[in-house]
Amino acid sequence: MSEPSTERRRQYPFHQIEPKWQQYWEEHKTYRMPNPGEHGFDPSKPKYYVLDMFPYPSGDGLHVGHPEGYTATDIVSRYRRKQGWNVLHPMGWDAFGLPAEQYAIKTGQHPSITTGRNVNRFRSQLKRLGFCYDWDREINTTDPEYYRWTQWIFLQIYNSYFDESTKTARPVSELEAQGLSREEIDARRLAYVAEVQVNWCPGLGTVLANEEVVDGKSEVGGFPVERRPLRQWMLRITAYGDRLGDELEDLDWPEGIKRHQREWIGRSEGAEVKFSIDGRDDSITVFTTRPDTLFGATYMVLAPEHALVDSITTPDQKAAVEAYRQQVASKSDMERTALAKVKTGVATGGYAINPVNGERIPIWIADYVLISYGTGAIMAVPAHDDRDHEFATQFGLPIREVVQAPAGNTEQCFTGDGISINSPLMDGLPTQEAKRKITAWLEERALGRKTINYKLRDWLFARQRYWGEPFPVIWRDGKHEALPESELPVIPPPLEDYKPSGTAEAPLSKATDWVRYSDHAQRETNTMPQWAGSCWYYLRFTDARNNSRFAGEDAERYWMGHNHKPGGVDLYVGGTEHAVLHLLYARFWHKVLYDLGYVSTPEPFQKLVNQGLILGEDGQKMSKSRGNVINPDHVIAEYGADSLRLFEMFMGPLEQVKPWSTKGVEGVYRFLGRVWRLFMESADEGDTYTLSPKVQDANAPMPLLKVLHETIRKVGADVEAMAFNTAISQMMICTNELTSAEVRPVSVLATFLHLLNPYAPHLSEELYSLLHANFPSLPAGPLSELPWPKFEEKYLIEDTIEVVLQVNGKVRGKLEVPANMDAEALKALALSSDRTQEHIAGKEVRNVIVVPKRLVNIVVK
RNA sequence: GCCCGGGUGGCGAAAUCGGCAGACGCAAAGGACUUAAAAUCCUUUUUCCGGAAACGGGAGUGUGGGUUCAAGUCCCACCCCGGGCACCA
């Protein structure tokens, strides 16, 4: 019975081949990678750790963006394995998160049930793509056996402080030994509790994470979000600001991402300067990066929320100040920033004294000064700061120039480096020297000191959510207390009702039995943010089933160390959306663990590659509402997994943004069909195939050997460079060559299958096993376990080469010459050639440029 | 506004160090096979001018300049598209 007429005939029987090999791999655990000391581990091989950013298993299943990066790492893994490396290539699930919780709110079903269902779907989809993951190492961040260690790491952070002298984390027990008080120690822990401004969303009745707020509105529902102070757990990531910036240096990351992280950290050096308040004992400290402009400070600005505002404000300004503060408080972040085209503010009526010249300057409040950065107060130098300039112009405040711009400067408000003027202490000094001098002057008089500030804020680590890791912490008499390790994991109780409470209380607070730890102690009811689980998952992969440590020491040292580089994971591939947060948070945790001696490298990820977004066929971002979403399941059903893999790699460079093309999938599908027909032919219209009579155990002719060895060379070099698209082009060229050959030597075909194997593992395995069945002298498979072929230089060397003849840079002819012809001979030959003679006749030859093996350019006049 | 990424045929793209622009694939056209179609195989395909053709000549990598014997590639200025950031003193 032939195929139904409506269905096109398959290029090759991928629908039989692919499940067959997937089953084989599963049954034989082909891709299981033992750890050091385990049976089957070969310590003589070098290690290579290839990691994908693990997915959040959403209810929608895999989209075509996932297999892009996953195929790239799969190719690299298979290639390295064939090259004789021990390759660690694992997969898991970042499964805590909002959608599962939202679904639970709607249905009352525990999130672990939906999560389990989604994970099963994702896993089977990934298996259908033929990826060579070691599934014995699969992890799930919502598994208590996993998050017990997430909680354990939190305890290590909680029990540490940052030692400024060594710039490392140290156990707080050292502070206890020094006799510090409970309060002093708590104030220095890397995990601490603070009252901070959070995003409160009245519409949803809950607190939102920063990343859940878009343009001042909730990402879900689009309700307005306001700031509100709340008691929160914080992680002291700012302590690591310098190291997180400096230690990017030796990582093989895209420069753009490194820059992005450095900007995010936003280190800036400057000085804190104390201004006394006129007529009071108090003082206000400001932060400035330009202490050299102190003589140009003509007013001062406090953030509206600044603690001293009330006491400074004079009675006649009280009403105006109150009204302004009211107005600012009611503004969302969006209104405060995006719409802040025009500066606003009011005078407090109070005055400060400039410490360098005793001048009395007015104190204003304005929302262009942020309470959360620096000291929440600035000295305004309108002549040399754009924002101050704008404000001063608007409110008619004096502008005094104290830096002379270099000649030719036309800017009204000069913000660059120049020479100090009108500044008695530093007149004539260039900016950098002036800064040093005035800072020293201030320090001598205890009026200020050198300071470093960061844009980076401490990490707000608590969420008022159900579906996240509970904190291993209890509260007794209003004080927090770590639970002992023996009580891990702390498992959240099931709830009747997962809805947010409507107050700022976390959902867990509704489980009263669970919350009550003892007569005098209650459990912490906040949970950790989704980032927590992904901060260390790469470590768990090194020893995923260890139940006495987050990962065994030997396994961690082998997979993360051993490459003499700062980063442990050799290759990490994922999307740019994690350029800052995930990568910064993971680096922070890793450094704490490194300082405490738990891991062997200072950095988690040595080489980072970002895959580019795949757009819809219309060139727009894929989205349900546009209706341009491509479902990988459908692509696999119609063309097979090998075609999907191959197309995703053939579309263009991995890092680039590129549109989907169904026609393009058909193109690579046809290519795989051509490869199939190099080996097999079919007599009827069905799925019965026999070996092609052109496949023979014969000596390969030179032209075939040449293209084959060129293909070995190019495909190998391109995998190393992750230029998969051009590797595929070369394999197409090789296939076209073989298609037109009358005889297809077995040795050439077998070698070609090795090259194709990382890209199209199912088809290549099948053809190899068919070939081996007919020619038993070939090494027995599976192909993926056989060594990668080596190219031989002798087949690449050309006897004769084509040299281009140019006259005045224009191509006028070509010459076939022996490859070893020297420059002089080439020059003589070029000058006497008929083709060049036509163009140089009657003209003066002024110069002849000879580029051996490439071209001769004759310059005439 | 600032910071990235990108602009090459009808389309996705290629071009190791400055050395023949457009490999490979898609689409299109023609041919072979077929009663016919699909599939497959072969050929053509940057563009303009001349030529029946072989071929020859000119132009051409967003725009305008520059460096060079030679520029997609290096330098300067600008335009357009995509993404990110948002007053951090």
Side-chain angles (χ1 to χ4, degrees):
Chain A
M1 180 71 197
S2 63
E3 300 284 339
S5 58
T6 49
E7 192 176 324
R8 274 175 311 172
R9 186 158 180 276
R10 288 187 190 87
Q11 288 274 341
Y12 69 99
F14 64 84
H15 62 302
Q16 292 163 358
I17 295 172
E18 293 183 351
K20 168 184 159 184
W21 284 99
Q22 285 158 18
Q23 197 186 339
Y24 176 94
W25 296 328
E26 179 120 17
E27 281 169 5
H28 292 77
K29 291 204 183 254
T30 308
Y31 304 117
R32 198 183 88 84
M33 180 65 233
N35 267 348
E38 286 177 16
H39 175 72
F41 177 80
D42 180 351
S44 68
K45 293 178 172 182
K47 74 95 183 180
Y48 201 75
Y49 186 174
V50 191
L51 184 65
D52 292 300
M53 287 186 186
F54 68 160
Y56 172 76
S58 75
D60 297 330
L62 224 56
H63 57 78
V64 291
H66 287 116
E68 189 190 15
Y70 299 167
T71 304
T73 55
D74 194 66
I75 291 166
V76 172
S77 300
R78 288 173 178 277
Y79 168 78
R80 291 272 174 178
R81 194 175 276 125
K82 281 170 79 68
Q83 289 263 44
W85 297 60
N86 283 331
V87 175
L88 178 59
H89 188 43
M91 182 44 80
W93 319 106
D94 187 16
F96 276 125
L98 267 177
E101 181 163 346
Q102 229 78 20
Y103 191 77
I105 291 169
K106 246 197 300 189
T107 63
Q109 200 170 33
H110 194 276
S112 65
I113 297 172
T114 26
T115 301
R117 197 159 54 217
N118 293 347
V119 162
N120 286 339
R121 169 135 182 243
F122 262 70
R123 191 191 304 104
S124 75
Q125 284 184 306
L126 290 180
K127 285 189 175 174
R128 252 181 295 159
L129 277 153
F131 294 136
C132 62
Y133 296 120
D134 175 357
W135 287 105
D136 284 2
R137 294 173 186 262
E138 177 180 356
I139 58 174
N140 183 328
T141 55
T142 66
D143 179 349
E145 282 310 302
Y146 180 88
Y147 66 71
R148 112 182 295 156
W149 300 108
T150 310
Q151 291 168 337
W152 179 85
I153 295 171
F154 174 83
L155 289 181
Q156 309 314 305
I157 296 170
Y158 175 86
N159 286 320
S160 302
Y161 74 101
F162 192 76
D163 179 346
E164 288 294 341
S165 61
T166 58
K167 299 272 179 204
T168 57
R170 308 288 310 162
V172 291
S173 54
E174 291 181 359
L175 298 178
E176 283 161 15
Q178 290 169 27
L180 266 67
S181 71
R182 166 78 205 250
E183 285 67 29
E184 287 168 321
I185 290 171
D186 281 353
R188 295 184 64 181
R189 288 179 190 275
L190 288 179
Y192 63 98
V193 173
E195 184 95 343
V196 291
Q197 296 283 332
V198 298
N199 303 302
W200 172 251
C201 179
L204 293 174
T206 182
V207 165
L208 297 173
N210 281 333
E211 54 274 20
E212 290 156 359
V213 182
V214 178
D215 289 338
K217 290 182 180 159
S218 62
E219 196 177 14
V220 180
F223 298 105
V225 172
E226 58 191 49
R227 307 287 282 176
R228 166 189 281 211
L230 204 65
R231 178 190 65 85
Q232 296 284 305
W233 279 98
M234 306 291 292
L235 299 189
R236 206 179 299 280
I237 189 172
T238 49
Y240 280 83
D242 281 346
R243 279 174 61 190
L244 288 170
D246 295 345
E247 292 169 24
L248 284 167
E249 188 65 35
D250 297 318
L251 301 181
D252 306 321
W253 288 21
E255 275 311 311
I257 303 286
K258 287 190 187 181
R259 199 166 23 232
H260 201 166
Q261 289 219 344
R262 288 200 186 98
E263 273 167 26
W264 188 269
I265 295 164
R267 177 195 155 96
S268 72
E269 266 179 49
E272 281 184 2
V273 185
K274 221 196 273 179
F275 283 64
S276 52
I277 302 170
D278 190 30
R280 290 170 49 97
D281 253 356
D282 247 343
S283 67
I284 298 171
T285 303
V286 302
F287 173 71
T288 177
T289 54
R290 294 296 301 268
D292 62 300
T293 61
L294 254 170
F295 284 91
T298 54
Y299 63 102
M300 177 183 268
V301 187
L302 305 186
E305 303 87 349
H306 197 284
L308 289 174
V309 173
D310 278 334
S311 52
I312 289 167
T313 305
T314 55
D316 54 321
Q317 284 299 97
K318 201 162 185 65
V321 165
E322 269 320 304
Y324 184 70
R325 293 177 89 179
Q326 205 66 51
Q327 182 198 332
V328 168
S330 68
K331 275 194 212 173
S332 70
D333 273 12
M334 179 177 61
E335 287 167 319
R336 211 173 142 162
T337 57
L339 302 178
K341 297 254 188 288
V342 182
K343 296 230 175 332
T344 58
V346 293
T348 60
Y351 284 82
I353 305 296
N354 188 333
V356 292
N357 56 9
E359 200 175 349
R360 208 166 153 266
I361 58 173
I363 304 171
W364 287 63
I365 61 170
D367 66 358
Y368 81 91
V369 173
L370 309 175
I371 187 67
S372 52
Y373 183 78
T375 60
I378 62 156
M379 63 174 202
V381 184
H384 305 290
D385 181 284
D386 289 326
R387 297 150 300 188
D388 297 344
H389 186 89
E390 198 188 318
F391 191 82
T393 311
Q394 206 169 310
F395 291 97
L397 292 156
I399 299 172
R400 185 189 308 147
E401 236 185 303
V402 290
V403 180
Q404 185 159 39
N409 172 66
T410 52
E411 283 172 85
Q412 232 198 358
C413 170
F414 174 70
T415 58
D417 283 9
I419 305 291
S420 286
I421 51 170
N422 302 325
S423 306
L425 291 166
M426 357 163 213
D427 274 341
L429 290 182
T431 298
Q432 293 309 319
E433 272 179 56
K435 280 185 189 176
R436 268 195 295 279
K437 180 153 187 204
I438 191 68
T439 307
W441 187 91
L442 289 166
E443 272 172 11
E444 278 167 32
R445 286 157 186 78
L447 292 169
R449 61 189 180 90
K450 193 176 165 185
T451 321
I452 292 158
N453 260 306
Y454 301 91
K455 280 195 217 175
L456 182 70
R457 307 291 149 85
D458 275 342
W459 179 7
L460 198 167
F461 194 67
R463 297 290 183 271
Q464 292 68 43
R465 292 285 174 200
Y466 173 76
W467 194 227
E469 301 88 346
F471 282 76
V473 167
I474 54 167
W475 290 81
R476 200 191 301 270
D477 304 327
K479 292 201 165 104
H480 47 76
E481 210 172 278
L483 286 172
E485 285 176 25
S486 58
E487 292 193 26
L488 302 184
V490 178
I491 299 173
L495 293 181
E496 293 282 301
D497 168 16
Y498 297 90
K499 271 196 213 54
S501 58
T503 69
E505 281 293 310
L508 284 179
S509 61
K510 287 187 273 192
T512 43
D513 288 348
W514 181 86
V515 172
R516 188 178 169 282
Y517 180 76
S518 71
D519 284 350
H520 303 288
Q522 299 84 42
R523 288 182 191 275
E524 168 66 59
T525 57
N526 283 316
T527 53
M528 300 186 198
Q530 205 188 341
W531 307 107
S534 59
C535 269
W536 72 283
Y537 75 113
Y538 56 93
L539 292 171
R540 187 63 179 169
F541 279 138
T542 64
D543 196 9
R545 301 291 169 262
N546 195 314
N547 52 23
S548 59
R549 202 171 184 269
F550 66 93
E553 286 179 83
D554 288 350
E556 188 280 330
R557 199 176 309 125
Y558 180 75
W559 291 114
M560 294 296 289
H562 276 285
N563 60 358
H564 311 293
K565 299 251 173 87
V569 174
D570 296 276
L571 174 65
Y572 193 28
V573 176
T576 0
E577 65 272 23
H578 297 114
V580 176
L581 297 179
H582 159 61
L583 289 170
L584 203 62
Y585 293 154
R587 292 180 63 222
F588 165 49
W589 279 36
H590 194 89
K591 286 181 186 301
V592 175
L593 291 173
Y594 176 70
D595 289 350
L596 298 176
Y598 289 113
V599 297
S600 10
T601 60
E603 285 283 335
F605 315 117
Q606 182 58 37
K607 180 178 168 123
L608 174 73
V609 174
N610 293 123
Q611 85 266 22
L613 197 66
I614 295 180
L615 304 174
E617 210 140 8
D618 54 1
Q620 302 283 107
K621 218 172 192 160
M622 279 193 198
S623 74
K624 276 187 208 157
S625 58
R626 285 202 187 85
N628 60 354
V629 176
I630 302 289
N631 182 335
D633 292 342
H634 298 162
V635 179
I636 292 174
E638 196 154 348
Y639 305 102
D642 283 339
S643 292
L644 175 60
R645 294 168 55 109
L646 213 60
F647 176 64
E648 296 227 3
M649 294 299 100
F650 187 61
M651 293 167 84
L654 182 63
E655 297 89 339
Q656 198 167 299
V657 177
K658 44 212 176 281
W660 185 263
S661 160
T662 299
K663 288 288 184 189
V665 187
E666 280 175 20
V668 294
Y669 175 54
R670 271 201 291 268
F671 160 65
L672 293 179
R674 282 165 74 86
V675 171
W676 175 259
R677 290 190 297 275
L678 285 178
F679 297 76
M680 309 302 290
E681 53 179 45
S682 122
D684 56 25
E685 292 292 299
D687 279 332
T688 331
Y689 294 90
T690 53
L691 193 75
S692 164
K694 291 182 178 172
V695 178
Q696 293 167 23
D697 194 356
N699 284 330
M702 253 330 250
L704 275 189
L705 285 174
K706 227 173 101 171
V707 71
L708 179 71
H709 283 261
E710 174 56 18
T711 305
I712 301 172
R713 191 197 63 76
K714 176 124 179 89
V715 171
D718 283 352
V719 183
E720 308 256 358
M722 299 187 75
F724 308 107
N725 53 332
T726 48
I728 294 168
S729 295
Q730 183 60 39
M731 287 191 276
M732 288 172 169
I733 291 169
C734 187
T735 301
N736 292 346
E737 208 68 32
L738 282 163
T739 298
S740 48
E742 273 314 304
V743 172
R744 298 165 190 159
V746 172
S747 61
V748 175
L749 292 178
T751 303
F752 175 76
L753 289 177
H754 280 281
L755 308 181
L756 182 63
N757 181 250
Y759 294 80
H762 309 90
L763 173 64
S764 53
E765 283 288 2
E766 177 70 12
L767 287 174
Y768 190 82
S769 78
L770 288 168
L771 204 59
H772 182 261
N774 284 280
F775 301 94
S777 61
L778 285 171
L783 184 60
S784 62
E785 312 255 287
L786 296 173
W788 185 258
K790 290 188 169 61
F791 65 90
E792 287 183 50
E793 207 70 53
K794 66 179 177 189
Y795 296 118
L796 300 181
I797 296 166
E798 309 264 1
D799 296 338
T800 64
I801 48 167
E802 199 181 56
V803 167
V804 171
L805 301 180
Q806 293 184 341
V807 178
N808 286 345
K810 286 197 159 71
V811 180
R812 294 304 180 187
K814 286 164 190 182
L815 275 182
E816 195 71 25
V817 300
N820 54 5
M821 183 179 259
D822 64 53
E824 275 309 307
L826 203 52
K827 179 176 174 180
L829 199 60
L831 284 168
S832 63
S833 149
D834 293 349
R835 292 289 297 120
T836 52
Q837 278 298 325
E838 279 176 41
H839 291 92
I840 61 177
K843 290 173 181 162
E844 182 197 346
V845 175
R846 306 186 52 133
N847 196 4
V848 180
I849 283 110
V850 181
V851 183
K853 299 186 182 191
R854 286 205 185 267
L855 59 72
V856 180
N857 188 11
I858 303 168
V859 186
V860 298
K861 197 182 179 184

